């Protein structure tokens, strides 16, 4: 919610002027970028506030687990809740059916009870990872301002930047039965060109730069003047594109690796010059290694999800809260637009948990050294994070 | 575990979900995938007949064996085939997959014989036709309503000879998302195909069962005749490794052993081995406070640069004075010098210690306070 600087030059960028107070779904990020929420508050926090407009997020799927669907669902729901136009492509025959499974934003009293539970769990803990607790307080301060308003002003539908989504409650139909939601099935497309066309036409509504050429007769001379107009009609609109399982084996186009690569490249460049965000998930094990590397290089934000084995005693000893963890999320690259300074994350591996089987939560992994004298890990006692490590790196 | 597989197939698909699918894969080192397939088939059939499973019918797409083989096999396994018309349909892609015999019969070269019972399919390159035929046969068995049926594909390897991977994958994913299909399972010989084929089919399956040989070396030509009988014995055994994709996104891994007998394949459970899976998943950010046994032994062997080695020898204390009797001095100095420069033979490291007190001139009777000018 920062004030925008008004520019006086005629070459002004078509920035969403509604970034101040009017539309909470966009907030100002560092280096002149604008951020939208990914639908998962923990992920937003790790990425530095949200996903910058114009970036391409790529998610590398694990063929053994459907965690990328959790990310997609939250992303799409967040867009729909903010009434942002959405384009969804999937390899199933009926992509519209998937919209019925999108989660609905959770009501504030659910959130309240959730934070209470977290408090009670702690008990007496040795704050091994003390930063984790700081982080929680901070996020409470930032995100809860809107929440406090929500609780008191019940009738006023105040939107926030980022919502908590309840995976067990489906989204109300009116959110996705509008003109602004478009679905494509990639299964029977003979080649990738059809998808490319749809994406381009979708993104043309959100383009930032509109150039108009004027010929002005000036005392006998004709001058060409380039003027950019603010595209006021769409100033409050941010587009979202969600492409699921781009290279799924049942799609005809999965064999054409060069075409898919050029599609991703053109999508990336179109998205960069549009007020939009695109997310693509793809099964990395099904793409050949060289192309996988190329696709990864094209991403502005690269994450991967990983399945974890079930009933694994080793892992249960290594991590606390193993019972709640459903998978891992690795953040390989954080979007850095307009800057050369790299982002160094505290932790690149987050655990995906479903709290009460409803709320998607990403947490840093809690591990600690083993107790040297007794040789057992603290993890078994449960109060502290515990770990046992058999890899000898440093020996004291 | 073979039982868990049967249970998952028995439970079938939930509303709005994909049907559970099973890939059975084997290699030439342990070529018992077909036996596993027939085992699953007989279990599924008996469950269908007993009415305990969600599916009420079974369509077998037979590429590598004739329909009569399957009926005989089921009869031998104790499944009632007399009423087979009501619950099983075998799509015969084995007898005449490309329609050559039909063409030859038409031109009068071969006598035409009509195959009774099973449905003959002569156009395996047309995957759409195959799909619609499967669905037709299945709904013929169970009717049009909410009742479901299962599909078993004899060998996807054979299917891939005629049809490209994307079409096979499309067929499988269509069948999985069809509301009348309860479960689907197929066999694949993984070493004949590219890795891409195997991974694509594993991507589409909820369970992956692989048949592996006991000894990891795939090269069976060890040339040792004495071990031949052992090899032969081991050949009839193997490991059965299953990965289940659970609904909550976790992967359950199960291991069993199997051995081949006259009557078929038998599974025995095996003790769970410690998985090293966790090491690869969790980032290594820890330091080690434990010593392994070897490291403890090494530590005990290090000779420290003190006289007190703690090993019971007579303690020699060096007090800086060399005015003791030369013999004992000699001994002392020899010992200490020896202990000082003794190499740590085991670790290859050396602790060379020079005492600072050696730098002092011995026995100087000077009183340092004499320098003071008071």
């Amino acid at each position: 919610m920062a004030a925008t600087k008004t520019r006086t030059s005629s070459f002004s960028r078509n920035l969403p002027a509604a970034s101040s107070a009017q539309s909470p779904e966009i907030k100002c990020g560092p280096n002149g970028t604008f951020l939208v929420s990914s639908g998962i508050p923990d992920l937003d926090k790790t990425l530095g506030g949200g996903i910058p407009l114009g970036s391409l997020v790529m998610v590398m799927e694990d063929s053994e687990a459907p965690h990328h669907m959790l990310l997609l669902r939250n992303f799409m729901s967040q867009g729909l809740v903010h009434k942002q136009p959405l384009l969804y492509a999937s390899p199933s025959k009926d992509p519209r059916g998937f919209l019925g499974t999108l989660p609905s934003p959770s009501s504030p009293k659910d959130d309240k009870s959730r934070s209470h539970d977290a408090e009670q769990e702690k008990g007496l803990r040795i704050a091994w990872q003390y930063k984790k607790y700081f982080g929680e307080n901070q996020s409470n301060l930032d995100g809860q301002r809107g929440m406090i308003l929500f609780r008191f002003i019940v009738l006023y539908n105040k939107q926030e930047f980022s919502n908590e989504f309840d995976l067990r409650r489906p989204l109300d139909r009116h959110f996705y039965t509008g003109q602004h939601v478009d679905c494509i099935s990639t299964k029977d497309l003979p080649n990738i060109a059809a998808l490319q066309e749809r994406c381009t036409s979708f993104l043309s509504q959100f383009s930032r730069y509109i150039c108009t050429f004027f010929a002005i007769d000036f005392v006998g001379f004709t001058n060409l003047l380039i003027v950019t107009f603010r595209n006021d009609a769409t100033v409050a609109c941010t587009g979202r594109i969600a492409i699921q399982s781009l290279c799924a084996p049942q799609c005809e186009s999965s064999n054409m690796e060069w075409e898919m690569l050029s599609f991703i490249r053109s999508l990336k460049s179109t998205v960069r010059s549009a007020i939009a965000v695109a997310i693509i998930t793809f099964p990395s094990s099904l793409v050949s290694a060289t192309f996988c590397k190329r696709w990864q290089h094209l991403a502005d934000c690269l994450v991967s999800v990983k399945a974890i084995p079930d009933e694994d005693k080793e892992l249960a000893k290594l991590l606390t809260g193993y019972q709640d963890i459903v998978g891992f999320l690795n953040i390989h690259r954080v979007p850095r637009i307009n800057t050369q300074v790299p982002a160094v994350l505290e932790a690149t591996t987050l655990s995906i948990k479903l709290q009460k089987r409803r709320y998607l939560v990403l947490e840093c992994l809690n591990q600690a050294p083993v107790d040297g004298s007794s040789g057992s890990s603290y993890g078994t006692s449960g109060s502290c994070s515990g770990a046992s490590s058999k890899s000898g790196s440093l020996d004291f | 575990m073979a039982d868990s597989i049967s249970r998952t197939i028995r439970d079938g698909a939930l509303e709005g979900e994909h049907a559970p699918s099973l890939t059975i894969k084997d290699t030439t080192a342990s070529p018992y995938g077909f036996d596993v397939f027939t085992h699953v088939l007989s279990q599924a059939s008996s469950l269908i007949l007993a009415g305990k499973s969600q599916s009420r019918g079974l369509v077998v797409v037979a590429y590598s064996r004739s329909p009569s083989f399957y009926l005989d096999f089921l009869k031998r396994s104790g499944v009632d085939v007399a009423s087979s018309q009501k619950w099983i349909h075998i799509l015969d892609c084995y007898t005449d997959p490309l329609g050559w015999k039909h063409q030859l019969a038409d031109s009068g070269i071969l006598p035409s014989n009509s195959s009774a019972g099973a449905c003959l399919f002569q156009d395996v390159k047309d995957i759409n036709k195959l799909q619609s035929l499967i669905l037709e046969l299945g709904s013929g068995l169970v009717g049009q309503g909410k009742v479901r049926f299962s599909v078993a594909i004899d060998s996807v390897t054979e299917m891939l000879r005629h049809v490209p991977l994307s079409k096979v994958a499309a067929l499988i994913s269509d069948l999985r998302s069809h509301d009348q299909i309860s479960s689907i399972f197929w066999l694949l010989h993984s070493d004949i195909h590219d890795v891409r084929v195997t991974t694509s089919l594993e991507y589409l399956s909820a369970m992956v069962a692989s048949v592996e040989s006991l000894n990891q070396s795939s090269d069976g030509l060890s040339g040792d005749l004495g071990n031949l009988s052992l090899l032969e014995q081991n050949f009839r055994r193997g490991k059965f490794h299953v990965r289940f994709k659970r609904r909550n996104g976790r992967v359950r891994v199960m291991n069993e052993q199997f051995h081949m007998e006259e009557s078929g394949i038998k599974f025995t459970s095996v003790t769970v081995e410690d998985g090293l899976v966790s090491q690869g998943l969790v980032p290594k950010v820890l330091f080690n406070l434990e010593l392994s046994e070897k490291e403890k032994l090494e530590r005990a062997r290090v000779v420290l640069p003190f006289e007190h080695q703690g090993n019971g020898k007579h303690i020699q204390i060096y007090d800086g004075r060399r005015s003791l009797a030369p013999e004992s001095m000699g001994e002392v100095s020899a010992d200490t010098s020896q202990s000082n420069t003794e190499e740590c033979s085991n670790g290859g490291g050396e602790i060379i210690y020079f005492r600072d007190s050696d730098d002092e001139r011995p026995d100087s009777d000077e009183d340092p306070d004499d320098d003071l000018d008071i």
Side-chain angles (χ1 to χ4, degrees):
Chain A
M1 318 253 192
T4 46
K5 297 187 209 140
T6 49
R7 294 178 191 234
T8 48
S9 71
S10 52
F11 298 100
S12 49
R13 237 190 234 172
N14 182 12
L15 293 170
S19 58
S20 56
Q22 284 162 29
S23 75
E25 66 247 25
I26 301 177
K27 78 175 182 198
C28 269
N31 310 312
T33 54
F34 289 91
L35 309 174
V36 285
S37 170
S38 62
I40 308 166
D42 293 324
L43 185 62
D44 286 342
K45 203 167 48 152
T46 318
L47 292 179
I51 306 177
L53 283 179
S55 61
L56 175 69
V57 180
M58 295 194 72
V59 180
M60 305 206 291
E61 301 172 19
D62 186 339
S63 56
E64 295 189 314
H67 300 312
H68 57 279
M69 303 301 289
L70 286 172
L71 300 180
L72 267 180
R73 278 199 178 97
N74 280 284
F75 177 78
M76 287 163 65
S77 282
Q78 184 72 74
L80 290 175
V81 159
H82 286 156
K83 298 192 178 41
Q84 292 165 348
L86 173 71
L87 176 67
Y88 171 59
S90 106
S92 73
K93 270 198 288 208
D94 180 31
R96 275 231 171 232
F98 180 67
L99 297 178
T101 66
L102 293 179
S104 164
S106 65
S107 49
K109 60 174 168 60
D110 289 339
D111 274 353
K112 214 173 164 184
S113 62
R114 172 183 161 232
S115 58
H116 273 314
D117 275 348
E119 286 297 324
Q120 279 160 16
E121 268 172 21
K122 284 176 195 162
L124 175 65
R125 301 185 68 143
I126 301 170
W128 171 249
Q129 296 240 325
Y130 60 91
K131 280 190 187 161
K132 173 182 157 219
Y133 305 115
F134 281 157
E136 278 176 10
N137 285 333
Q138 274 171 13
S139 69
N140 280 343
L141 287 173
D142 287 46
Q144 296 299 340
R145 267 183 293 168
M147 294 306 281
I148 293 169
L149 273 175
F150 203 130
R151 279 180 212 137
F152 290 130
I153 307 169
V154 179
L155 291 173
Y156 175 57
N157 187 14
K158 179 166 168 63
Q159 284 183 335
E160 319 147 17
F161 175 68
S162 151
N163 295 78
E164 276 288 333
F165 287 98
D166 184 351
L167 290 162
R168 285 205 165 171
R169 268 181 28 200
L171 198 58
D172 289 333
R173 279 190 59 98
H174 70 270
F175 280 114
Y176 54 86
T177 48
Q179 287 293 325
H180 61 291
V181 178
D182 203 5
C183 296
I184 319 168
S185 164
T186 53
K187 184 167 167 292
D188 293 317
L189 293 180
N191 54 25
I192 206 80
L195 180 62
Q196 188 164 348
E197 260 186 50
R198 291 285 284 273
C199 289
T200 326
S201 56
F202 178 77
L203 286 171
S204 57
Q205 346 164 15
F206 309 107
S207 58
R208 286 191 211 228
Y209 304 104
I210 297 175
C211 285
T212 322
F213 289 85
F214 272 105
I216 295 182
D217 208 358
F218 200 165
V219 195
F221 292 97
T222 326
N223 285 341
L224 279 176
L225 198 71
I226 302 169
V227 176
T228 59
F229 281 170
R230 286 184 186 278
N231 193 351
D232 282 327
T234 57
V235 81
C237 272
T238 330
R240 291 194 186 215
I241 295 183
I243 301 179
Q244 179 201 326
S245 300
L246 182 59
C247 185
Q250 56 260 38
C251 302
E252 284 283 343
S253 49
S254 58
N255 294 327
M256 309 175 206
E257 296 188 305
W258 282 110
E259 278 84 358
M260 302 191 93
L261 183 67
S262 72
F263 162 69
I264 298 177
R265 199 167 134 264
S266 77
L267 180 68
K268 176 184 168 127
S269 55
T270 329
V271 163
R272 183 62 73 95
S273 57
I275 311 174
V277 174
I279 186 168
I280 301 182
T281 74
F282 68 99
S284 52
S285 52
L286 298 185
V287 188
S288 65
T290 48
F291 277 96
C292 194
K293 238 342 180 223
R294 288 180 158 114
W295 291 20
Q296 289 174 36
H297 277 302
L298 280 176
D300 289 315
C301 177
L302 183 66
V303 300
S304 68
V305 287
K306 207 144 172 51
I308 56 168
D310 200 18
E311 292 175 16
D312 185 337
K313 298 195 176 50
E314 284 290 323
L315 213 52
K317 276 195 288 186
L318 268 174
L319 304 167
T320 46
Y322 168 74
Q323 303 87 338
D324 302 320
I325 300 180
V326 289
F328 291 139
L329 179 84
N330 277 303
I331 302 182
H332 299 280
R333 194 181 306 145
V334 171
R336 304 296 285 166
I337 298 183
N338 298 342
T339 175
Q340 295 283 355
V341 179
V344 178
L345 295 177
E346 239 179 43
T348 54
T349 307
L350 304 173
S351 62
I352 304 175
K353 287 190 182 180
L354 287 178
Q355 262 189 2
K356 290 194 207 168
R357 299 200 206 160
R358 292 180 147 202
Y359 307 109
L360 181 64
V361 165
L362 301 174
E363 282 183 3
C364 287
L365 298 178
N366 287 330
Q367 303 167 21
V370 76
D371 175 19
S373 55
S374 66
S376 66
S377 69
Y378 287 125
T380 49
S381 56
S383 60
C384 224
S385 344
S388 66
S389 167
K390 302 225 165 52
S391 57
S393 36
L394 286 176
D395 189 335
F396 290 88
Chain B
M1 303 244 287
D3 299 331
S4 313
I5 294 179
S6 309
R7 251 178 282 140
T8 317
I9 292 188
R10 176 198 71 190
D11 293 337
L14 288 182
E15 194 65 48
E17 259 193 11
H18 285 317
S21 46
L22 164 69
T23 298
I24 303 170
K25 59 178 193 177
D26 67 352
T27 59
T28 44
S30 185
Y32 299 112
F34 189 73
D35 300 283
V36 176
F37 176 81
T38 45
H39 176 86
V40 174
L41 187 69
S42 65
Q43 299 241 313
S45 309
S46 45
L47 285 170
I48 290 172
L49 269 182
K52 287 191 193 156
S53 73
Q54 189 198 42
S55 80
R56 288 275 178 262
L58 179 63
V59 175
V60 181
V61 184
Y63 277 91
S64 60
R65 300 283 193 281
S66 70
S68 47
F69 169 85
Y70 284 110
L71 293 172
D72 286 338
F73 170 79
L74 287 173
K75 207 190 299 186
R76 268 183 288 134
S77 326
V79 178
D80 172 29
V81 291
S83 59
S84 61
Q85 306 292 338
K86 296 199 202 118
W87 58 273
I88 189 169
H89 250 305
I90 303 179
L91 191 54
D92 183 5
C93 304
Y94 168 80
T95 317
D96 195 11
L98 293 166
W100 291 346
K101 286 189 194 165
H102 184 74
Q103 284 176 18
L104 290 173
D106 274 350
S107 49
I109 299 175
L110 272 189
S112 68
N113 48 349
S114 57
S115 61
C119 177
L120 189 66
F121 189 65
Q122 290 173 330
D123 200 3
V124 290
K125 292 203 195 248
D126 189 348
I127 203 85
N128 296 327
K129 206 163 146 200
L130 178 69
Q131 184 174 336
S132 50
L133 199 53
I134 293 177
L135 293 172
E136 211 183 286
L137 288 177
S139 41
L141 285 176
V142 298
Q144 278 297 328
K146 288 264 186 179
V147 189
R148 297 176 184 247
F149 62 96
S150 299
V151 179
I153 301 179
D154 185 311
S155 173
V156 171
T157 303
E158 297 279 336
M159 205 189 250
L160 284 165
R161 286 172 63 190
H162 306 288
V163 177
L165 172 66
S166 55
K167 292 212 160 66
V168 174
L171 168 75
I172 290 178
S173 70
D174 279 344
L175 289 178
R176 281 187 82 195
S177 46
H178 199 268
D179 14 327
Q180 273 200 305
I181 304 260
S182 158
S183 56
I184 169 169
F185 55 100
W186 60 83
L187 172 65
L188 177 74
H189 302 297
S190 56
D191 44 0
I192 307 180
H193 299 289
D194 286 338
V195 174
R196 186 145 185 259
V197 171
T198 320
T199 45
S200 301
L201 289 171
E202 284 176 11
Y203 176 81
L204 292 169
S205 44
M207 296 176 275
V208 178
S210 42
V211 176
E212 293 155 10
S213 63
L214 272 184
N215 40 339
Q216 282 307 310
S217 60
S218 52
D219 181 20
L221 309 163
S222 52
D224 192 351
L225 283 179
N227 269 341
L228 201 57
S229 61
L230 188 66
L231 274 178
E232 212 174 338
Q233 235 183 32
N234 276 346
F235 189 64
R236 305 195 73 73
R237 293 191 203 165
K239 292 191 279 204
F240 188 61
H241 177 81
V242 187
R243 296 181 77 91
F244 292 87
K245 293 182 203 175
R246 293 188 61 206
R247 283 195 180 94
N248 60 4
R250 290 187 175 193
V251 177
R252 178 175 287 167
V253 174
M254 288 182 162
N255 280 301
E256 267 190 338
Q257 277 201 353
F258 70 90
H259 56 278
M260 292 302 303
E261 283 178 5
E262 283 297 324
S263 52
I265 192 167
K266 294 275 183 295
F267 295 96
T268 50
S269 60
V270 79
T271 51
V272 178
E273 34 186 270
D274 291 44
L276 293 170
V277 180
S278 49
Q279 300 291 337
L281 285 175
V282 174
K284 292 187 171 74
V285 293
L286 310 173
F287 47 88
N288 188 17
L289 292 176
E290 277 188 342
L291 294 175
S292 66
E293 276 308 309
K294 182 167 171 287
E295 286 163 340
K296 284 183 186 146
L297 283 173
E298 298 282 329
R299 186 172 70 174
R301 279 198 215 118
V302 168
V303 177
L304 298 167
F306 318 120
E307 283 80 359
H308 314 267
Q309 291 292 336
N311 47 9
K313 280 204 326 230
H314 180 58
I315 298 171
Q316 324 259 5
I317 299 176
Y318 174 71
D319 55 4
R321 285 179 285 175
R322 300 194 190 219
S323 55
L324 292 176
E327 318 83 45
S328 50
M329 241 337 280
E331 280 172 22
V332 165
S333 59
D335 279 330
T336 48
S337 60
Q338 232 182 21
S339 63
N340 278 347
T341 58
E342 185 182 331
E343 279 182 25
C344 190
S345 51
N346 296 314
E350 209 178 288
I351 300 176
I352 301 172
Y353 177 62
F354 298 103
R355 277 203 211 90
D356 287 342
S357 52
D358 282 346
D359 295 336
E360 282 174 21
R361 279 141 45 102
D363 265 11
S364 52
D365 288 331
E366 290 170 1
D367 186 5
D369 291 343
D370 288 346
D371 288 334
L372 292 175
D373 232 350
I374 301 171

